[in-house]
Amino acid sequence: GQQVMQIPQYQHVQEGEDFTTYCNSSTTLSNIQWYKQRPGGHPVFLIQLVKSGEVKKQKRLTFQFGEAKKNSSLHITATQTTDVGTYFCAGPLGGYALNFGKGTSLLVTP
Amino acid sequence: GAGVSQSPSNKVTEKGKDVELRCDPISGHTALYWYRQSLGQGLEFLIYFQGNSAPDKSGLPSDRFSAERTGGSVSTLTIQRTQQEDSAVYLCASSLDRGSGGSTSTDTQYFGPGTRLTVL
């Protein structure tokens, strides 16, 4: 079945450093979504990418969808302590629910 | 407006007991999903409801798990004869419509705060 893998599993950065998490799917995706889960919280939708090669920005966050629509990345520029949390990518599972990666946990120290 | 709500927020039970977890989706959302998140893990799909269609139960891990959705709104996830490996956070999500189907985009899913289940 479809597998969505994320690396790294954990990342610890100093405030102000950049951060990138990568997502790879074993199959071509019609779209990919990114969610953020703060410690003790629930996943919150960040963005959805649909087009091959698409790049979207949200302030310091840059999301990319690969040309083959099998991989994606999330890059945070100049991290802040508010960026702490786990970032999940997810692809459609048979078009209904989402198949989530295991996430990348980001820790930012001041 | 009100988001997805779940109850109880925490549930501690003894092995072998049955538990019921409740989810109230966002008003007007026709699609409802249940996921399970074990400690330090990603989200595991359990079951999906869309309107009056038969639910997609393909993610349920065993026949001890069942779910229903009454009146197209509130949903209850029932776990019978709980086992220690059932301990996890159970998350409910709802979306305005179904998934992508034949289109390329998927409706955004809005998650509830989850129910933390501990089986002793």
Side-chain angles (χ1 to χ4, degrees):
Chain A
Q2 179 196 88
Q3 292 188 13
V4 176
M5 292 154 287
Q6 277 186 261
I7 56 170
Q9 187 175 3
Y10 302 99
Q11 185 79 56
H12 183 185
V13 300
Q14 294 288 320
E15 191 172 23
E17 292 181 338
D18 292 356
F19 159 77
T20 304
T21 173
Y22 300 91
C23 179
N24 291 287
S25 170
S26 58
T27 60
T28 300
L29 301 170
S30 58
N31 66 76
I32 194 158
Q33 299 188 22
W34 285 90
Y35 288 76
K36 177 183 179 181
Q37 185 174 25
R38 293 183 185 274
H42 56 276
V44 175
F45 174 80
L46 292 177
I47 206 162
Q48 179 176 174
L49 304 173
V50 177
K51 300 178 181 177
S52 169
E54 188 170 15
V55 178
K56 287 189 176 180
K57 292 189 176 184
Q58 290 179 350
K59 297 183 180 179
R60 294 178 293 104
L61 277 61
T62 301
F63 303 85
Q64 293 188 329
F65 200 11
E67 293 291 339
K69 301 183 76 173
K70 295 180 71 174
N71 57 75
S72 181
S73 65
L74 159 59
H75 179 81
I76 303 178
T77 303
T79 53
Q80 300 176 359
T81 54
T82 54
D83 296 325
V84 166
T86 301
Y87 293 85
F88 293 98
C89 63
L93 187 64
Y96 309 145
L98 295 172
N99 188 14
F100 282 80
K102 292 190 184 298
T104 296
S105 293
L106 172 63
L107 178 61
V108 181
T109 51
Chain B
V4 177
S5 61
Q6 291 186 245
S7 62
S9 56
N10 283 284
K11 177 72 176 178
V12 180
T13 189
E14 293 179 347
K15 178 181 174 181
K17 301 276 186 160
D18 297 352
V19 295
E20 285 190 351
L21 312 179
R22 177 188 169 104
C23 172
D24 281 90
I26 293 173
S27 177
H29 280 193
T30 61
L32 186 147
Y33 315 78
W34 283 98
Y35 294 88
R36 177 170 70 174
Q37 185 173 31
S38 300
L39 186 63
Q41 298 296 311
L43 282 74
E44 174 190 4
F45 166 69
L46 298 177
I47 189 169
Y48 157 80
F49 295 90
Q50 169 57 35
N52 296 319
S53 302
D56 177 356
K57 305 179 182 180
S58 59
L60 294 178
S62 78
D63 58 7
R64 296 186 294 106
F65 288 72
S66 63
E68 62 177 22
R69 188 180 185 191
T70 54
S73 180
V74 172
S75 176
T76 302
L77 176 68
T78 300
I79 308 174
Q80 295 178 312
R81 305 181 303 281
T82 52
Q83 303 294 314
Q84 289 183 334
E85 59 263 29
D86 298 334
S87 296
V89 176
Y90 288 81
L91 290 157
C92 173
S94 69
S95 66
L96 191 60
D97 204 345
R98 60 171 290 167
S100 61
S103 70
T104 55
S105 65
T106 305
D107 281 339
T108 298
Q109 295 186 19
Y110 297 86
F111 284 83
T115 293
R116 182 176 298 278
L117 175 65
T118 303
V119 181
L120 302 176

